[in-house]
mmCIF file of all heavy atoms in Angstrom:
data_model
loop_
_atom_site.group_PDB
_atom_site.id
_atom_site.type_symbol
_atom_site.label_atom_id
_atom_site.label_comp_id
_atom_site.label_asym_id
_atom_site.label_seq_id
_atom_site.Cartn_x
_atom_site.Cartn_y
_atom_site.Cartn_z
ATOM 1 N N GLN A 263 -7.638 7.856 16.213
ATOM 2 C CA GLN A 263 -8.651 8.330 15.316
ATOM 3 C C GLN A 263 -7.941 8.447 13.889
ATOM 4 O O GLN A 263 -6.866 8.865 13.718
ATOM 5 C CB GLN A 263 -9.201 9.594 15.637
ATOM 6 C CG GLN A 263 -10.042 9.571 16.930
ATOM 7 C CD GLN A 263 -11.377 8.913 16.678
ATOM 8 O OE1 GLN A 263 -11.714 8.240 15.641
ATOM 9 N NE2 GLN A 263 -12.378 9.089 17.657
ATOM 10 N N PRO A 264 -8.726 7.968 12.841
ATOM 11 C CA PRO A 264 -8.160 8.217 11.527
ATOM 12 C C PRO A 264 -7.913 9.598 11.181
ATOM 13 O O PRO A 264 -8.611 10.530 11.627
ATOM 14 C CB PRO A 264 -9.311 7.618 10.532
ATOM 15 C CG PRO A 264 -10.003 6.626 11.478
ATOM 16 C CD PRO A 264 -9.889 7.145 12.824
ATOM 17 N N SER A 265 -6.850 9.909 10.541
ATOM 18 C CA SER A 265 -6.425 11.266 10.229
ATOM 19 C C SER A 265 -7.421 11.999 9.399
ATOM 20 O O SER A 265 -7.709 13.189 9.599
ATOM 21 C CB SER A 265 -5.009 11.253 9.415
ATOM 22 O OG SER A 265 -4.736 12.630 9.142
ATOM 23 N N LYS A 266 -8.153 11.279 8.542
ATOM 24 C CA LYS A 266 -9.154 11.906 7.627
ATOM 25 C C LYS A 266 -10.384 12.445 8.560
ATOM 26 O O LYS A 266 -10.837 13.568 8.303
ATOM 27 C CB LYS A 266 -9.709 10.825 6.726
ATOM 28 C CG LYS A 266 -10.818 11.414 5.725
ATOM 29 C CD LYS A 266 -11.261 10.311 4.759
ATOM 30 C CE LYS A 266 -12.301 10.871 3.822
ATOM 31 N NZ LYS A 266 -12.731 9.803 2.843
ATOM 32 N N LEU A 267 -10.690 11.738 9.560
ATOM 33 C CA LEU A 267 -11.764 12.123 10.441
ATOM 34 C C LEU A 267 -11.336 13.282 11.306
ATOM 35 O O LEU A 267 -12.102 14.300 11.464
ATOM 36 C CB LEU A 267 -12.187 11.083 11.343
ATOM 37 C CG LEU A 267 -13.131 9.865 10.666
ATOM 38 C CD1 LEU A 267 -13.400 8.859 11.707
ATOM 39 C CD2 LEU A 267 -14.359 10.477 10.174
ATOM 40 N N VAL A 268 -10.076 13.300 11.735
ATOM 41 C CA VAL A 268 -9.628 14.384 12.659
ATOM 42 C C VAL A 268 -9.609 15.738 11.790
ATOM 43 O O VAL A 268 -9.973 16.778 12.317
ATOM 44 C CB VAL A 268 -8.185 14.119 13.136
ATOM 45 C CG1 VAL A 268 -7.623 15.348 13.939
ATOM 46 C CG2 VAL A 268 -8.196 12.875 14.045
ATOM 47 N N VAL A 269 -9.169 15.575 10.488
ATOM 48 C CA VAL A 269 -9.190 16.867 9.657
ATOM 49 C C VAL A 269 -10.564 17.328 9.403
ATOM 50 O O VAL A 269 -10.836 18.528 9.471
ATOM 51 C CB VAL A 269 -8.495 16.499 8.365
ATOM 52 C CG1 VAL A 269 -8.672 17.628 7.343
ATOM 53 C CG2 VAL A 269 -6.983 16.255 8.586
ATOM 54 N N HIS A 270 -11.459 16.380 9.224
ATOM 55 C CA HIS A 270 -12.843 16.753 9.082
ATOM 56 C C HIS A 270 -13.366 17.532 10.242
ATOM 57 O O HIS A 270 -14.080 18.460 10.145
ATOM 58 C CB HIS A 270 -13.765 15.460 8.812
ATOM 59 C CG HIS A 270 -15.194 15.679 9.021
ATOM 60 N ND1 HIS A 270 -16.021 16.459 8.082
ATOM 61 C CD2 HIS A 270 -16.089 15.273 9.948
ATOM 62 C CE1 HIS A 270 -17.259 16.463 8.507
ATOM 63 N NE2 HIS A 270 -17.328 15.776 9.636
ATOM 64 N N TRP A 271 -13.162 17.037 11.522
ATOM 65 C CA TRP A 271 -13.687 17.644 12.760
ATOM 66 C C TRP A 271 -12.964 18.964 12.924
ATOM 67 O O TRP A 271 -13.679 19.963 13.379
ATOM 68 C CB TRP A 271 -13.340 16.721 13.934
ATOM 69 C CG TRP A 271 -14.205 15.527 13.913
ATOM 70 C CD1 TRP A 271 -15.458 15.329 13.366
ATOM 71 C CD2 TRP A 271 -13.769 14.212 14.255
ATOM 72 N NE1 TRP A 271 -15.859 14.115 13.449
ATOM 73 C CE2 TRP A 271 -14.909 13.303 13.976
ATOM 74 C CE3 TRP A 271 -12.696 13.686 14.760
ATOM 75 C CZ2 TRP A 271 -14.880 11.922 14.241
ATOM 76 C CZ3 TRP A 271 -12.643 12.248 15.128
ATOM 77 C CH2 TRP A 271 -13.769 11.437 14.840
ATOM 78 N N LEU A 272 -11.630 19.157 12.618
ATOM 79 C CA LEU A 272 -11.059 20.477 12.729
ATOM 80 C C LEU A 272 -11.667 21.465 11.746
ATOM 81 O O LEU A 272 -11.910 22.633 12.166
ATOM 82 C CB LEU A 272 -9.518 20.272 12.489
ATOM 83 C CG LEU A 272 -8.696 19.599 13.652
ATOM 84 C CD1 LEU A 272 -7.344 19.300 13.201
ATOM 85 C CD2 LEU A 272 -8.779 20.585 14.955
ATOM 86 N N ASN A 273 -11.954 21.017 10.582
ATOM 87 C CA ASN A 273 -12.676 21.937 9.617
ATOM 88 C C ASN A 273 -14.007 22.301 10.071
ATOM 89 O O ASN A 273 -14.423 23.388 9.891
ATOM 90 C CB ASN A 273 -12.715 21.269 8.271
ATOM 91 C CG ASN A 273 -11.430 21.550 7.435
ATOM 92 O OD1 ASN A 273 -10.990 22.632 7.218
ATOM 93 N ND2 ASN A 273 -10.858 20.461 6.899
ATOM 94 N N LEU A 274 -14.716 21.292 10.655
ATOM 95 C CA LEU A 274 -16.057 21.566 11.244
ATOM 96 C C LEU A 274 -16.026 22.500 12.340
ATOM 97 O O LEU A 274 -16.868 23.439 12.479
ATOM 98 C CB LEU A 274 -16.753 20.226 11.616
ATOM 99 C CG LEU A 274 -18.130 20.313 12.207
ATOM 100 C CD1 LEU A 274 -19.141 21.003 11.236
ATOM 101 C CD2 LEU A 274 -18.706 19.033 12.638
ATOM 102 N N LEU A 275 -14.990 22.388 13.194
ATOM 103 C CA LEU A 275 -14.877 23.295 14.390
ATOM 104 C C LEU A 275 -14.606 24.725 13.828
ATOM 105 O O LEU A 275 -15.136 25.626 14.390
ATOM 106 C CB LEU A 275 -13.768 22.853 15.281
ATOM 107 C CG LEU A 275 -13.374 23.799 16.421
ATOM 108 C CD1 LEU A 275 -14.618 23.836 17.360
ATOM 109 C CD2 LEU A 275 -12.161 23.196 17.264
ATOM 110 N N ALA A 276 -13.798 24.896 12.773
ATOM 111 C CA ALA A 276 -13.496 26.213 12.132
ATOM 112 C C ALA A 276 -14.844 26.758 11.603
ATOM 113 O O ALA A 276 -15.106 27.978 11.680
ATOM 114 C CB ALA A 276 -12.425 26.065 11.113
ATOM 115 N N ASP A 277 -15.617 25.907 10.966
ATOM 116 C CA ASP A 277 -16.943 26.367 10.379
ATOM 117 C C ASP A 277 -17.803 26.912 11.479
ATOM 118 O O ASP A 277 -18.442 27.979 11.360
ATOM 119 C CB ASP A 277 -17.670 25.141 9.720
ATOM 120 C CG ASP A 277 -17.038 24.721 8.528
ATOM 121 O OD1 ASP A 277 -16.247 25.487 7.922
ATOM 122 O OD2 ASP A 277 -17.222 23.621 8.052
ATOM 123 N N LEU A 278 -17.885 26.143 12.665
ATOM 124 C CA LEU A 278 -18.780 26.609 13.730
ATOM 125 C C LEU A 278 -18.195 27.892 14.314
ATOM 126 O O LEU A 278 -19.010 28.719 14.889
ATOM 127 C CB LEU A 278 -18.845 25.310 14.712
ATOM 128 C CG LEU A 278 -19.478 24.114 14.301
ATOM 129 C CD1 LEU A 278 -19.641 23.012 15.363
ATOM 130 C CD2 LEU A 278 -20.914 24.392 13.663
ATOM 131 N N GLN A 279 -16.835 27.948 14.531
ATOM 132 C CA GLN A 279 -16.336 29.107 15.078
ATOM 133 C C GLN A 279 -16.695 30.355 14.247
ATOM 134 O O GLN A 279 -17.053 31.434 14.732
ATOM 135 C CB GLN A 279 -14.874 29.010 15.248
ATOM 136 C CG GLN A 279 -14.387 28.005 16.346
ATOM 137 C CD GLN A 279 -12.949 27.651 16.262
ATOM 138 O OE1 GLN A 279 -12.243 27.845 15.228
ATOM 139 N NE2 GLN A 279 -12.295 27.227 17.399
ATOM 140 N N ILE A 280 -16.590 30.260 12.930
ATOM 141 C CA ILE A 280 -16.953 31.312 12.013
ATOM 142 C C ILE A 280 -18.432 31.705 12.189
ATOM 143 O O ILE A 280 -18.842 32.872 12.157
ATOM 144 C CB ILE A 280 -16.614 30.959 10.640
ATOM 145 C CG1 ILE A 280 -14.998 30.936 10.514
ATOM 146 C CG2 ILE A 280 -17.144 32.035 9.609
ATOM 147 C CD1 ILE A 280 -14.629 30.389 9.049
ATOM 148 N N ARG A 281 -19.176 30.624 12.178
ATOM 149 C CA ARG A 281 -20.710 30.757 12.310
ATOM 150 C C ARG A 281 -21.103 31.528 13.602
ATOM 151 O O ARG A 281 -22.117 32.216 13.689
ATOM 152 C CB ARG A 281 -21.360 29.448 12.224
ATOM 153 C CG ARG A 281 -22.958 29.563 12.066
ATOM 154 C CD ARG A 281 -23.554 28.179 12.118
ATOM 155 N NE ARG A 281 -22.968 27.208 11.286
ATOM 156 C CZ ARG A 281 -23.371 25.892 11.198
ATOM 157 N NH1 ARG A 281 -24.223 25.524 12.021
ATOM 158 N NH2 ARG A 281 -22.813 25.051 10.360
ATOM 159 N N CYS A 282 -20.282 31.305 14.646
ATOM 160 C CA CYS A 282 -20.662 31.888 15.976
ATOM 161 C C CYS A 282 -19.892 33.254 16.197
ATOM 162 O O CYS A 282 -20.001 33.764 17.284
ATOM 163 C CB CYS A 282 -20.320 30.854 17.098
ATOM 164 S SG CYS A 282 -21.472 29.470 17.036
ATOM 165 N N GLY A 283 -19.155 33.638 15.192
ATOM 166 C CA GLY A 283 -18.475 34.986 15.344
ATOM 167 C C GLY A 283 -17.200 34.897 16.058
ATOM 168 O O GLY A 283 -16.835 36.002 16.668
ATOM 169 N N SER A 284 -16.401 33.898 16.020
ATOM 170 C CA SER A 284 -15.233 33.825 16.757
ATOM 171 C C SER A 284 -14.146 34.831 15.981
ATOM 172 O O SER A 284 -14.406 35.030 14.837
ATOM 173 C CB SER A 284 -14.514 32.455 16.789
ATOM 174 O OG SER A 284 -15.402 31.581 17.613
ATOM 175 N N ASP A 285 -13.094 35.287 16.638
ATOM 176 C CA ASP A 285 -12.273 36.118 16.056
ATOM 177 C C ASP A 285 -11.234 35.422 15.048
ATOM 178 O O ASP A 285 -11.117 34.153 15.147
ATOM 179 C CB ASP A 285 -11.365 36.908 17.109
ATOM 180 C CG ASP A 285 -10.573 35.977 18.008
ATOM 181 O OD1 ASP A 285 -9.630 35.338 17.555
ATOM 182 O OD2 ASP A 285 -11.059 35.719 19.097
ATOM 183 N N TYR A 286 -10.551 36.152 14.293
ATOM 184 C CA TYR A 286 -9.755 35.631 13.167
ATOM 185 C C TYR A 286 -8.652 34.774 13.801
ATOM 186 O O TYR A 286 -8.389 33.609 13.222
ATOM 187 C CB TYR A 286 -9.079 36.715 12.449
ATOM 188 C CG TYR A 286 -8.028 36.306 11.433
ATOM 189 C CD1 TYR A 286 -8.385 35.814 10.170
ATOM 190 C CD2 TYR A 286 -6.694 36.322 11.775
ATOM 191 C CE1 TYR A 286 -7.380 35.392 9.321
ATOM 192 C CE2 TYR A 286 -5.742 35.896 10.891
ATOM 193 C CZ TYR A 286 -6.075 35.406 9.573
ATOM 194 O OH TYR A 286 -5.114 35.047 8.673
ATOM 195 N N GLU A 287 -7.943 35.078 14.881
ATOM 196 C CA GLU A 287 -6.895 34.277 15.436
ATOM 197 C C GLU A 287 -7.375 32.880 15.937
ATOM 198 O O GLU A 287 -6.633 31.926 15.821
ATOM 199 C CB GLU A 287 -6.283 35.095 16.531
ATOM 200 C CG GLU A 287 -5.041 34.364 17.165
ATOM 201 C CD GLU A 287 -3.842 34.151 16.240
ATOM 202 O OE1 GLU A 287 -3.838 34.877 15.116
ATOM 203 O OE2 GLU A 287 -3.097 33.274 16.382
ATOM 204 N N THR A 288 -8.531 32.890 16.523
ATOM 205 C CA THR A 288 -9.140 31.607 17.030
ATOM 206 C C THR A 288 -9.210 30.628 15.799
ATOM 207 O O THR A 288 -8.908 29.492 15.951
ATOM 208 C CB THR A 288 -10.402 31.865 17.789
ATOM 209 O OG1 THR A 288 -10.145 32.740 18.950
ATOM 210 C CG2 THR A 288 -10.988 30.512 18.192
#
Side-chain angles (χ1 to χ4, degrees):
Q263 290 285 12
S265 180
K266 182 178 179 180
L267 285 178
V268 174
V269 169
H270 165 70
W271 293 324
L272 286 169
N273 274 306
L274 178 58
L275 178 58
D277 292 340
L278 298 181
Q279 288 171 337
I280 293 173
R281 191 186 306 177
C282 292
S284 297
D285 58 75
Y286 172 83
E287 183 59 24
T288 299

